[in-house]
Coordinates of all heavy atoms in Angstrom, one line a residue:
M1 N -10.5 -141.0 12.2 CA -10.6 -139.6 12.7 C -11.0 -139.7 14.2 O -10.3 -139.1 15.1 CB -11.6 -138.9 12.0 CG -11.1 -138.0 10.9 SD -9.5 -137.3 11.0 CE -9.6 -136.0 9.8
R2 N -12.1 -140.4 14.5 CA -12.6 -140.4 15.9 C -11.5 -141.0 16.8 O -11.3 -140.5 17.9 CB -13.8 -141.3 16.0 CG -15.0 -140.6 15.2 CD -16.1 -140.3 16.2 NE -17.1 -139.5 15.5 CZ -17.4 -138.3 15.9 NH1 -16.9 -137.7 16.9 NH2 -18.3 -137.6 15.2
V3 N -10.8 -142.0 16.4 CA -9.8 -142.7 17.2 C -8.7 -141.7 17.5 O -8.2 -141.6 18.6 CB -9.3 -144.0 16.5 CG1 -8.2 -144.6 17.3 CG2 -10.4 -145.0 16.3
L4 N -8.3 -141.0 16.5 CA -7.2 -140.0 16.7 C -7.6 -138.9 17.7 O -6.9 -138.6 18.5 CB -6.9 -139.3 15.3 CG -5.9 -140.1 14.5 CD1 -5.6 -139.3 13.2 CD2 -4.6 -140.2 15.2
F5 N -8.9 -138.4 17.6 CA -9.4 -137.4 18.5 C -9.3 -138.0 19.9 O -8.8 -137.3 20.8 CB -10.8 -137.1 18.2 CG -11.0 -136.0 17.2 CD1 -12.2 -136.0 16.5 CD2 -10.1 -135.1 17.0 CE1 -12.4 -135.0 15.6 CE2 -10.3 -134.1 16.1 CZ -11.4 -134.0 15.4
F6 N -9.7 -139.2 20.1 CA -9.8 -139.9 21.4 C -8.4 -140.0 21.9 O -8.1 -139.6 23.1 CB -10.4 -141.2 21.3 CG -10.5 -141.9 22.6 CD1 -11.4 -141.5 23.6 CD2 -9.7 -143.0 22.9 CE1 -11.5 -142.1 24.8 CE2 -9.8 -143.7 24.1 CZ -10.7 -143.2 25.1
A7 N -7.4 -140.4 21.1 CA -6.0 -140.6 21.5 C -5.5 -139.2 22.0 O -4.8 -139.1 23.0 CB -5.2 -141.2 20.4
A8 N -5.7 -138.2 21.2 CA -5.2 -136.9 21.5 C -5.8 -136.4 22.8 O -5.1 -135.8 23.7 CB -5.5 -135.9 20.4
T9 N -7.1 -136.6 23.0 CA -7.8 -136.2 24.2 C -7.2 -136.9 25.4 O -7.0 -136.3 26.5 CB -9.3 -136.4 24.1 OG1 -9.7 -135.9 22.9 CG2 -10.0 -135.7 25.3
L10 N -7.0 -138.2 25.3 CA -6.5 -139.0 26.3 C -5.1 -138.6 26.8 O -4.8 -138.4 27.9 CB -6.5 -140.5 25.9 CG -6.4 -141.5 27.0 CD1 -7.7 -141.5 27.8 CD2 -6.2 -142.9 26.4
T11 N -4.3 -138.3 25.8 CA -2.9 -137.8 26.1 C -2.9 -136.6 26.9 O -2.2 -136.4 27.9 CB -2.1 -137.6 24.8 OG1 -2.2 -138.7 24.0 CG2 -0.7 -137.3 25.0
L12 N -3.8 -135.6 26.4 CA -3.9 -134.3 27.2 C -4.4 -134.6 28.6 O -4.0 -133.9 29.5 CB -4.9 -133.4 26.4 CG -4.2 -132.7 25.2 CD1 -5.3 -132.1 24.3 CD2 -3.2 -131.7 25.6
A13 N -5.4 -135.5 28.7 CA -6.0 -135.8 30.0 C -5.0 -136.3 31.0 O -5.0 -135.9 32.2 CB -7.1 -136.8 29.9
V14 N -4.0 -137.1 30.6 CA -3.0 -137.6 31.6 C -1.9 -136.6 31.8 O -1.2 -136.7 32.8 CB -2.5 -139.0 31.2 CG1 -3.5 -140.0 31.1 CG2 -1.7 -138.9 29.8
T15 N -1.7 -135.7 30.9 CA -0.6 -134.7 31.1 C -1.0 -133.5 31.8 O -0.2 -132.7 32.2 CB 0.1 -134.4 29.8 OG1 -0.9 -133.9 28.9 CG2 0.9 -135.5 29.2
S16 N -2.3 -133.2 31.9 CA -2.7 -132.0 32.7 C -3.8 -132.5 33.6 O -4.6 -133.4 33.3 CB -3.2 -130.9 31.7 OG -4.4 -131.4 31.1
N17 N -4.0 -131.8 34.7 CA -5.1 -132.2 35.6 C -6.2 -131.2 35.4 O -6.1 -130.1 34.8 CB -4.6 -132.3 37.1 CG -4.3 -131.0 37.7 OD1 -5.1 -130.1 37.6 ND2 -3.1 -130.9 38.3
A18 N -7.4 -131.6 36.0 CA -8.6 -130.8 35.7 C -8.5 -129.4 36.3 O -9.2 -128.5 35.8 CB -9.8 -131.6 36.2
E19 N -7.8 -129.3 37.3 CA -7.7 -128.0 38.0 C -6.9 -126.9 37.2 O -7.4 -125.8 37.1 CB -7.1 -128.1 39.4 CG -7.9 -129.0 40.3 CD -9.4 -128.6 40.5 OE1 -9.6 -127.4 40.7 OE2 -10.3 -129.5 40.4
S20 N -5.8 -127.3 36.8 CA -4.9 -126.3 36.1 C -4.7 -126.7 34.6 O -3.9 -127.6 34.3 CB -3.6 -126.2 36.8 OG -2.9 -127.4 36.7
Q21 N -5.5 -126.1 33.8 CA -5.4 -126.4 32.3 C -4.1 -125.7 31.8 O -4.0 -124.5 31.9 CB -6.6 -125.8 31.7 CG -6.6 -126.0 30.2 CD -6.7 -127.4 29.7 OE1 -7.2 -128.3 30.4 NE2 -6.2 -127.7 28.5
E22 N -3.3 -126.6 31.2 CA -2.0 -126.1 30.7 C -2.2 -126.0 29.1 O -2.3 -127.1 28.5 CB -0.8 -127.0 31.0 CG -0.6 -127.2 32.5 CD 0.4 -126.2 33.0 OE1 1.2 -125.7 32.3 OE2 0.4 -126.0 34.3
L23 N -2.2 -124.8 28.6 CA -2.2 -124.7 27.1 C -0.9 -124.2 26.6 O -0.3 -123.3 27.3 CB -3.3 -123.7 26.8 CG -4.8 -124.1 27.2 CD1 -5.7 -123.0 26.8 CD2 -5.2 -125.4 26.5
K24 N -0.5 -124.7 25.5 CA 0.8 -124.3 24.9 C 0.9 -122.8 24.7 O 1.9 -122.2 24.8 CB 1.0 -125.0 23.6 CG 1.8 -126.2 23.7 CD 2.3 -126.6 22.3 CE 1.9 -128.0 21.9 NZ 2.0 -128.3 20.5
G25 N -0.3 -122.2 24.4 CA -0.3 -120.7 24.1 C -0.4 -119.9 25.3 O -0.6 -118.7 25.3
G26 N -0.3 -120.6 26.5 CA -0.4 -119.8 27.8 C -1.9 -119.6 28.1 O -2.8 -120.0 27.4
P27 N -2.1 -118.9 29.2 CA -3.5 -118.5 29.6 C -4.1 -117.7 28.5 O -3.5 -116.7 28.1 CB -3.4 -117.8 30.9 CG -2.0 -117.7 31.2 CD -1.2 -118.3 30.1
G28 N -5.3 -118.1 28.0 CA -5.9 -117.3 26.9 C -6.6 -116.0 27.4 O -6.9 -115.9 28.6
D29 N -7.0 -115.2 26.5 CA -7.7 -113.9 26.8 C -9.0 -114.0 26.1 O -9.1 -114.0 24.9 CB -6.8 -112.8 26.2 CG -7.5 -111.4 26.5 OD1 -8.6 -111.2 26.1 OD2 -6.8 -110.5 27.0
A30 N -10.1 -114.0 26.9 CA -11.4 -114.2 26.4 C -11.9 -113.1 25.4 O -12.5 -113.4 24.4 CB -12.4 -114.4 27.5
A31 N -11.5 -111.9 25.7 CA -11.8 -110.8 24.8 C -11.2 -110.9 23.4 O -11.8 -110.7 22.4 CB -11.5 -109.4 25.5
R32 N -9.9 -111.3 23.5 CA -9.2 -111.5 22.2 C -9.8 -112.7 21.5 O -9.9 -112.8 20.3 CB -7.7 -111.7 22.4 CG -6.9 -110.4 22.4 CD -5.5 -110.7 22.1 NE -4.9 -111.7 22.8 CZ -4.2 -111.6 23.9 NH1 -4.0 -110.3 24.4 NH2 -3.7 -112.6 24.6
G33 N -10.2 -113.7 22.3 CA -10.9 -114.9 21.7 C -12.2 -114.6 21.0 O -12.5 -115.1 20.0
E34 N -12.9 -113.6 21.6 CA -14.2 -113.2 21.0 C -13.9 -112.6 19.6 O -14.6 -112.9 18.6 CB -14.9 -112.3 21.9 CG -16.3 -111.9 21.3 CD -17.2 -111.1 22.3 OE1 -16.6 -110.7 23.4 OE2 -18.3 -111.0 22.1
Q35 N -12.9 -111.7 19.6 CA -12.5 -111.1 18.3 C -12.2 -112.1 17.3 O -12.6 -112.1 16.1 CB -11.3 -110.2 18.6 CG -11.6 -108.9 19.3 CD -12.4 -107.9 18.5 OE1 -12.3 -107.8 17.3 NE2 -13.3 -107.2 19.2
A36 N -11.3 -113.1 17.7 CA -10.9 -114.1 16.8 C -12.0 -115.0 16.3 O -12.1 -115.3 15.1 CB -9.8 -115.0 17.5
Y37 N -13.0 -115.2 17.2 CA -14.2 -116.0 16.8 C -14.9 -115.2 15.7 O -15.3 -115.8 14.7 CB -15.1 -116.2 18.0 CG -16.3 -117.1 17.6 CD1 -16.2 -118.5 17.7 CD2 -17.5 -116.5 17.0 CE1 -17.2 -119.3 17.3 CE2 -18.5 -117.4 16.6 CZ -18.4 -118.7 16.7 OH -19.4 -119.5 16.3
Q38 N -15.1 -113.9 15.8 CA -15.8 -113.1 14.8 C -15.1 -113.2 13.5 O -15.7 -113.3 12.4 CB -15.8 -111.6 15.2 CG -16.2 -111.3 16.6 CD -17.7 -111.4 16.9 OE1 -18.5 -111.6 16.0 NE2 -18.1 -111.3 18.2
T39 N -13.8 -113.1 13.5 CA -13.0 -113.0 12.2 C -12.8 -114.4 11.6 O -12.8 -114.5 10.4 CB -11.7 -112.3 12.4 OG1 -11.0 -112.9 13.4 CG2 -11.9 -110.8 12.6
T40 N -12.7 -115.5 12.4 CA -12.3 -116.8 11.9 C -13.4 -117.8 11.9 O -13.4 -118.6 11.0 CB -11.1 -117.4 12.8 OG1 -10.2 -116.3 13.1 CG2 -10.4 -118.5 12.1
C41 N -14.3 -117.7 12.8 CA -15.3 -118.8 12.9 C -16.7 -118.5 12.6 O -17.5 -119.3 12.2 CB -15.3 -119.3 14.4 SG -13.6 -119.4 15.1
L42 N -17.1 -117.2 12.8 CA -18.4 -116.8 12.6 C -19.0 -117.1 11.2 O -20.2 -117.5 11.1 CB -18.5 -115.2 12.9 CG -19.9 -114.6 12.9 CD1 -20.6 -115.0 14.2 CD2 -19.8 -113.1 12.8
R43 N -18.2 -116.9 10.2 CA -18.8 -117.1 8.8 C -19.3 -118.5 8.6 O -20.2 -118.7 7.8 CB -17.7 -116.8 7.8 CG -16.5 -117.8 7.7 CD -15.4 -117.3 6.9 NE -14.2 -118.0 7.1 CZ -13.8 -119.0 6.2 NH1 -14.4 -119.2 5.2 NH2 -12.7 -119.6 6.5
C44 N -18.8 -119.5 9.3 CA -19.3 -120.9 9.1 C -20.3 -121.2 10.2 O -21.3 -121.9 10.0 CB -18.2 -121.9 9.1 SG -17.2 -121.8 7.6
H45 N -20.0 -120.8 11.5 CA -20.8 -121.3 12.6 C -21.8 -120.3 13.1 O -22.7 -120.7 13.9 CB -19.8 -121.6 13.8 CG -19.0 -122.8 13.5 ND1 -19.6 -124.1 13.5 CD2 -17.7 -123.0 13.3 CE1 -18.6 -125.0 13.2 NE2 -17.4 -124.4 13.1
G46 N -21.9 -119.1 12.7 CA -22.8 -118.2 13.2 C -22.5 -117.8 14.7 O -21.4 -118.0 15.1
P47 N -23.5 -117.3 15.4 CA -23.3 -116.8 16.8 C -22.6 -117.9 17.6 O -23.0 -119.1 17.5 CB -24.6 -116.4 17.3 CG -25.4 -116.2 16.0 CD -24.9 -117.0 15.0
S48 N -21.8 -117.5 18.6 CA -21.0 -118.5 19.3 C -21.9 -119.4 20.2 O -21.5 -120.5 20.6 CB -19.9 -117.8 20.1 OG -20.5 -117.0 21.1
Q49 N -23.1 -118.9 20.6 CA -23.9 -119.7 21.5 C -24.2 -121.1 20.8 O -24.3 -122.1 21.5 CB -25.3 -119.0 21.7 CG -25.2 -117.8 22.6 CD -24.9 -116.5 21.8 OE1 -24.2 -116.6 20.8 NE2 -25.3 -115.4 22.2
R50 N -24.4 -121.1 19.5 CA -24.7 -122.4 18.9 C -23.6 -123.4 19.0 O -23.8 -124.5 19.2 CB -24.9 -122.1 17.4 CG -26.4 -121.8 17.1 CD -26.7 -122.0 15.6 NE -26.7 -120.7 15.0 CZ -26.6 -120.6 13.6 NH1 -26.4 -121.6 12.8 NH2 -26.7 -119.4 13.1
I51 N -22.3 -122.9 18.9 CA -21.2 -123.8 18.9 C -20.9 -124.2 20.4 O -20.6 -125.4 20.6 CB -19.9 -123.1 18.3 CG1 -19.0 -124.2 17.7 CG2 -19.2 -122.2 19.2 CD1 -19.4 -124.7 16.4
R52 N -21.1 -123.3 21.3 CA -20.9 -123.6 22.7 C -21.6 -124.9 23.1 O -21.1 -125.7 23.8 CB -21.3 -122.5 23.6 CG -20.4 -121.3 23.7 CD -21.1 -120.2 24.4 NE -20.5 -118.9 24.1 CZ -19.4 -118.4 24.7 NH1 -18.9 -119.1 25.7 NH2 -18.9 -117.3 24.4
S53 N -22.9 -125.0 22.7 CA -23.7 -126.1 23.2 C -23.3 -127.4 22.5 O -23.8 -128.5 22.9 CB -25.2 -125.8 22.8 OG -25.4 -125.8 21.4
R54 N -22.4 -127.4 21.6 CA -22.0 -128.6 20.9 C -20.6 -129.0 21.3 O -20.1 -130.0 20.8 CB -22.0 -128.4 19.4 CG -23.4 -128.1 18.8 CD -23.4 -127.7 17.4 NE -22.8 -128.7 16.5 CZ -23.5 -129.7 15.9 NH1 -24.8 -129.7 16.1 NH2 -22.9 -130.5 15.2
I55 N -20.0 -128.3 22.3 CA -18.7 -128.7 22.7 C -18.8 -129.8 23.8 O -19.5 -129.6 24.8 CB -17.9 -127.5 23.3 CG1 -17.8 -126.4 22.3 CG2 -16.6 -127.9 23.9 CD1 -17.3 -125.0 22.8
P56 N -18.2 -131.0 23.5 CA -18.3 -132.1 24.5 C -17.6 -131.7 25.8 O -16.6 -131.1 25.8 CB -17.6 -133.2 23.8 CG -17.4 -132.8 22.4 CD -17.4 -131.4 22.4
G57 N -18.1 -132.2 26.9 CA -17.5 -132.0 28.2 C -18.5 -131.4 29.2 O -19.3 -130.6 28.8
D58 N -18.4 -131.8 30.5 CA -19.3 -131.3 31.5 C -18.7 -130.1 32.2 O -19.5 -129.2 32.7 CB -19.5 -132.4 32.6 CG -20.3 -133.6 32.0 OD1 -21.2 -133.3 31.1 OD2 -20.1 -134.7 32.4
T59 N -17.4 -130.0 32.3 CA -16.8 -128.9 33.0 C -16.0 -128.0 32.0 O -15.7 -128.5 30.9 CB -15.8 -129.4 34.1 OG1 -14.7 -130.0 33.4 CG2 -16.5 -130.3 35.1
A60 N -15.6 -126.8 32.4 CA -14.8 -125.9 31.6 C -13.5 -126.6 31.2 O -13.0 -126.5 30.1 CB -14.6 -124.6 32.3
A61 N -12.9 -127.3 32.2 CA -11.6 -128.0 31.9 C -11.8 -129.0 30.9 O -10.9 -129.2 30.0 CB -11.1 -128.5 33.2
E62 N -12.8 -129.8 30.9 CA -13.1 -130.9 29.9 C -13.3 -130.2 28.6 O -12.8 -130.7 27.6 CB -14.3 -131.7 30.3 CG -14.0 -132.8 31.4 CD -15.3 -133.5 31.9 OE1 -16.3 -133.5 31.1 OE2 -15.2 -134.0 33.0
K63 N -14.1 -129.2 28.5 CA -14.3 -128.5 27.2 C -13.0 -128.0 26.7 O -12.8 -128.0 25.5 CB -15.4 -127.4 27.4 CG -16.8 -127.9 27.6 CD -17.7 -126.8 28.1 CE -19.0 -127.4 28.6 NZ -20.1 -127.2 27.8
A64 N -12.2 -127.4 27.6 CA -11.0 -126.8 27.1 C -10.0 -127.9 26.5 O -9.4 -127.7 25.5 CB -10.2 -126.1 28.3
R65 N -10.0 -129.0 27.2 CA -9.2 -130.1 26.6 C -9.6 -130.6 25.3 O -8.9 -130.8 24.4 CB -9.1 -131.3 27.6 CG -8.1 -131.2 28.7 CD -7.9 -132.5 29.4 NE -9.0 -133.0 30.1 CZ -9.3 -132.6 31.4 NH1 -8.5 -131.8 32.0 NH2 -10.3 -133.1 32.0
W66 N -11.0 -130.7 25.2 CA -11.5 -131.2 23.9 C -11.2 -130.1 22.8 O -10.8 -130.5 21.7 CB -13.0 -131.4 24.0 CG -13.6 -132.0 22.7 CD1 -13.6 -133.3 22.4 CD2 -14.1 -131.3 21.6 NE1 -14.2 -133.5 21.2 CE2 -14.4 -132.3 20.6 CE3 -14.3 -130.0 21.3 CZ2 -15.0 -131.9 19.4 CZ3 -14.8 -129.6 20.1 CH2 -15.2 -130.6 19.1
L67 N -11.4 -128.9 23.1 CA -11.2 -127.8 22.1 C -9.7 -127.7 21.7 O -9.4 -127.5 20.6 CB -11.7 -126.5 22.7 CG -13.2 -126.2 22.7 CD1 -13.4 -124.9 23.5 CD2 -13.7 -126.0 21.3
D68 N -8.9 -127.9 22.7 CA -7.4 -127.8 22.4 C -7.1 -128.9 21.3 O -6.3 -128.6 20.4 CB -6.6 -128.0 23.7 CG -5.2 -127.5 23.5 OD1 -4.9 -126.6 22.7 OD2 -4.3 -128.2 24.1
A69 N -7.6 -130.1 21.5 CA -7.3 -131.2 20.6 C -7.9 -130.9 19.2 O -7.3 -131.0 18.2 CB -7.7 -132.5 21.1
F70 N -9.2 -130.5 19.3 CA -10.0 -130.3 18.0 C -9.5 -129.1 17.2 O -9.2 -129.2 16.0 CB -11.5 -130.2 18.4 CG -12.4 -130.0 17.2 CD1 -12.6 -131.1 16.4 CD2 -12.9 -128.8 16.9 CE1 -13.5 -131.0 15.2 CE2 -13.7 -128.6 15.8 CZ -14.0 -129.7 14.9
L71 N -9.4 -128.0 17.9 CA -9.1 -126.7 17.1 C -7.7 -126.7 16.6 O -7.4 -126.0 15.7 CB -9.4 -125.5 18.0 CG -10.8 -125.3 18.4 CD1 -11.0 -124.0 19.3 CD2 -11.7 -125.1 17.1
G72 N -6.8 -127.5 17.2 CA -5.4 -127.6 16.7 C -5.4 -128.1 15.2 O -4.4 -127.8 14.5
R73 N -6.5 -128.7 14.8 CA -6.6 -129.1 13.4 C -7.8 -128.5 12.7 O -8.3 -129.0 11.7 CB -6.6 -130.6 13.3 CG -5.3 -131.3 13.9 CD -5.3 -132.7 13.6 NE -6.2 -133.5 14.4 CZ -7.2 -134.3 13.9 NH1 -7.3 -134.4 12.6 NH2 -7.9 -135.0 14.7
H74 N -8.4 -127.5 13.3 CA -9.6 -127.0 12.8 C -9.6 -125.4 12.9 O -10.1 -124.8 13.9 CB -10.8 -127.5 13.6 CG -12.2 -127.2 13.0 ND1 -12.8 -127.8 12.0 CD2 -13.0 -126.1 13.4 CE1 -14.0 -127.3 11.8 NE2 -14.2 -126.2 12.6
Y75 N -8.9 -124.8 12.0 CA -8.8 -123.3 11.9 C -8.2 -122.6 13.0 O -8.3 -121.4 13.1 CB -10.2 -122.8 11.6 CG -10.9 -123.4 10.4 CD1 -11.8 -124.4 10.6 CD2 -10.6 -122.9 9.2 CE1 -12.3 -125.0 9.4 CE2 -11.1 -123.5 8.0 CZ -12.0 -124.6 8.2 OH -12.5 -125.2 7.1
A76 N -7.5 -123.3 14.0 CA -6.8 -122.6 15.0 C -5.5 -123.3 15.4 O -5.3 -123.7 16.5 CB -7.7 -122.4 16.3
E77 N -4.7 -123.5 14.4 CA -3.4 -124.2 14.6 C -2.5 -123.4 15.5 O -1.7 -124.0 16.2 CB -2.7 -124.5 13.2 CG -3.3 -125.6 12.4 CD -4.5 -125.1 11.6 OE1 -4.8 -123.9 11.6 OE2 -5.1 -126.0 10.9
D78 N -2.6 -122.1 15.4 CA -1.7 -121.2 16.2 C -2.0 -121.4 17.7 O -3.2 -121.2 18.1 CB -1.9 -119.8 15.7 CG -1.0 -118.8 16.5 OD1 0.2 -118.8 16.2 OD2 -1.5 -118.2 17.5
D79 N -1.0 -121.6 18.5 CA -1.2 -121.9 19.9 C -1.9 -120.8 20.7 O -2.7 -121.0 21.5 CB 0.1 -122.3 20.6 CG 0.7 -123.6 20.1 OD1 -0.1 -124.4 19.6 OD2 1.9 -123.8 20.2
K80 N -1.4 -119.6 20.4 CA -1.9 -118.4 21.1 C -3.4 -118.1 20.7 O -4.3 -117.9 21.6 CB -1.1 -117.2 20.8 CG -1.4 -115.9 21.5 CD -1.0 -116.1 23.0 CE -1.7 -115.0 23.8 NZ -2.2 -115.4 25.0
L81 N -3.7 -118.2 19.4 CA -5.0 -118.0 18.9 C -6.0 -119.0 19.6 O -7.1 -118.7 20.0 CB -5.0 -118.2 17.4 CG -6.4 -118.3 16.7 CD1 -7.2 -117.0 16.8 CD2 -6.3 -118.8 15.3
R82 N -5.5 -120.3 19.6 CA -6.3 -121.4 20.2 C -6.6 -121.1 21.7 O -7.7 -121.3 22.1 CB -5.6 -122.7 19.9 CG -6.6 -123.9 20.1 CD -6.0 -125.2 19.5 NE -4.8 -125.6 20.2 CZ -3.5 -125.5 19.7 NH1 -3.3 -125.1 18.5 NH2 -2.5 -125.9 20.4
A83 N -5.6 -120.7 22.4 CA -5.7 -120.4 23.8 C -6.8 -119.3 24.1 O -7.6 -119.4 25.0 CB -4.4 -120.1 24.5
D84 N -6.7 -118.3 23.2 CA -7.7 -117.2 23.3 C -9.1 -117.7 23.0 O -10.1 -117.4 23.7 CB -7.3 -116.0 22.4 CG -6.1 -115.3 22.9 OD1 -5.7 -115.5 24.0 OD2 -5.5 -114.6 22.0
L85 N -9.2 -118.5 22.0 CA -10.5 -119.0 21.6 C -11.1 -119.9 22.7 O -12.3 -119.9 23.0 CB -10.4 -119.8 20.3 CG -10.4 -119.0 19.0 CD1 -10.0 -119.8 17.8 CD2 -11.8 -118.4 18.7
I86 N -10.2 -120.7 23.3 CA -10.6 -121.6 24.4 C -11.1 -120.8 25.6 O -12.1 -121.1 26.2 CB -9.5 -122.6 24.8 CG1 -9.3 -123.6 23.6 CG2 -9.8 -123.3 26.1 CD1 -8.1 -124.5 23.8
A87 N -10.4 -119.7 25.9 CA -10.8 -118.8 27.1 C -12.2 -118.3 26.8 O -13.0 -118.1 27.7 CB -9.8 -117.7 27.3
F88 N -12.5 -118.0 25.5 CA -13.8 -117.4 25.2 C -14.9 -118.5 25.1 O -16.0 -118.3 25.6 CB -13.7 -116.8 23.8 CG -15.0 -116.3 23.2 CD1 -15.8 -115.4 23.9 CD2 -15.4 -116.7 22.0 CE1 -17.0 -114.9 23.4 CE2 -16.6 -116.3 21.4 CZ -17.4 -115.4 22.1
L89 N -14.6 -119.7 24.6 CA -15.6 -120.7 24.4 C -15.8 -121.7 25.5 O -16.9 -122.2 25.7 CB -15.3 -121.5 23.1 CG -15.4 -120.7 21.8 CD1 -14.9 -121.5 20.6 CD2 -16.9 -120.3 21.5
A90 N -14.8 -122.1 26.2 CA -14.9 -123.1 27.2 C -15.3 -122.6 28.6 O -14.4 -122.2 29.4 CB -13.6 -123.9 27.3
Q91 N -16.5 -122.4 28.9 CA -17.0 -121.8 30.2 C -18.1 -122.7 30.7 O -18.8 -123.4 30.0 CB -17.5 -120.4 30.0 CG -16.4 -119.4 29.7 CD -16.9 -118.2 29.0 OE1 -18.1 -117.9 29.0 NE2 -16.0 -117.4 28.4
Ligands
LIG1 C1 -15.0 -123.1 6.6 C2 -16.0 -123.4 7.6 C3 -15.6 -123.5 9.0 C4 -14.8 -122.6 9.7 C5 -14.0 -121.4 9.3 C6 -14.7 -123.1 11.1 N1 -15.5 -124.2 11.2 FE1 -15.9 -125.3 12.9 N2 -16.8 -126.7 11.8 C7 -17.2 -126.6 10.5 C8 -17.9 -127.8 10.1 C9 -18.4 -128.1 8.7 C10 -18.0 -128.6 11.2 C11 -18.6 -130.0 11.4 C12 -17.8 -131.1 10.7 C13 -16.5 -131.4 11.4 O1 -16.5 -131.9 12.5 O2 -15.4 -131.0 10.9 C14 -17.3 -127.9 12.3 C15 -17.2 -128.4 13.6 C16 -16.8 -127.6 14.7 C17 -17.0 -128.0 16.1 C18 -17.5 -129.3 16.6 C19 -18.9 -129.2 17.0 C20 -19.8 -129.3 15.9 O3 -20.6 -128.3 15.7 O4 -19.7 -130.3 15.1 C21 -16.5 -126.9 16.8 C22 -16.4 -126.8 18.3 C23 -16.0 -125.9 15.9 N3 -16.3 -126.4 14.6 C24 -15.5 -124.7 16.2 C25 -14.9 -123.8 15.3 C26 -14.1 -122.7 15.7 C27 -13.9 -122.3 17.2 C28 -13.7 -122.1 14.6 C29 -12.8 -120.9 14.4 C30 -11.4 -121.0 14.9 C31 -14.2 -122.8 13.5 N4 -14.9 -123.9 14.0 C32 -14.0 -122.5 12.1 C33 -16.9 -125.6 9.6 C34 -16.0 -124.5 10.0

């Protein structure tokens, strides 16, 4: 599992640069991401502050890349939903 995560993260890292995060779902909408968090993630994770502090990465771009790889297999397979969640969570 960990190796797969790493490989996915690495692939994303070489195909996008830190300045312009390219997400398949296009630029996300943080307000829609907040709504999606409430309906999809809150029941397991509680308030989003708790999850934010556990997202690996020093910059928003790094967090976005990690989330894109992770959430693609964790309750946010849909590209648009994932982009919105990333806009809300990766800051
Ligand atoms: C059914 C419960 C459940 C739902 C729904 C769920 N998660 Fe999780 N999530 C978990 C569990 C359990 C873990 C820790 C184990 C793992 O890595 O899979 C986790 C791990 C994570 C992590 C890694 C950091 C950590 O705390 O380990 C992130 C980030 C995350 N979830 C975000 C989300 C987001 C965003 C959503 C909504 C799209 C979501 N999760 C939906 C149960 C859930």
Side-chain angles (χ1 to χ4, degrees):
M1 264 329 198
R2 293 243 171 242
V3 174
L4 273 179
F5 272 156
F6 181 70
T9 310
L10 199 66
T11 309
L12 283 166
V14 296
T15 52
S16 66
N17 70 52
E19 299 301 317
S20 63
Q21 176 66 25
E22 302 264 338
L23 298 174
K24 264 197 238 163
D29 179 307
R32 274 203 310 264
E34 183 171 12
Q35 288 290 326
Y37 185 89
Q38 315 280 354
T39 52
T40 316
C41 321
L42 187 73
R43 68 190 165 102
C44 289
H45 288 291
S48 65
Q49 289 86 330
R50 268 197 259 162
I51 207 82
R52 283 171 201 274
S53 65
R54 297 172 59 93
I55 300 169
D58 293 327
T59 64
E62 281 174 20
K63 287 170 195 251
R65 274 197 294 274
W66 186 87
L67 282 170
D68 195 33
F70 181 75
L71 294 179
R73 298 190 288 121
H74 186 86
Y75 303 97
E77 286 84 1
D78 180 80
D79 293 336
K80 185 70 194 136
L81 168 71
R82 196 165 64 252
D84 290 344
L85 281 165
I86 290 170
F88 173 58
L89 291 172
Q91 287 157 18

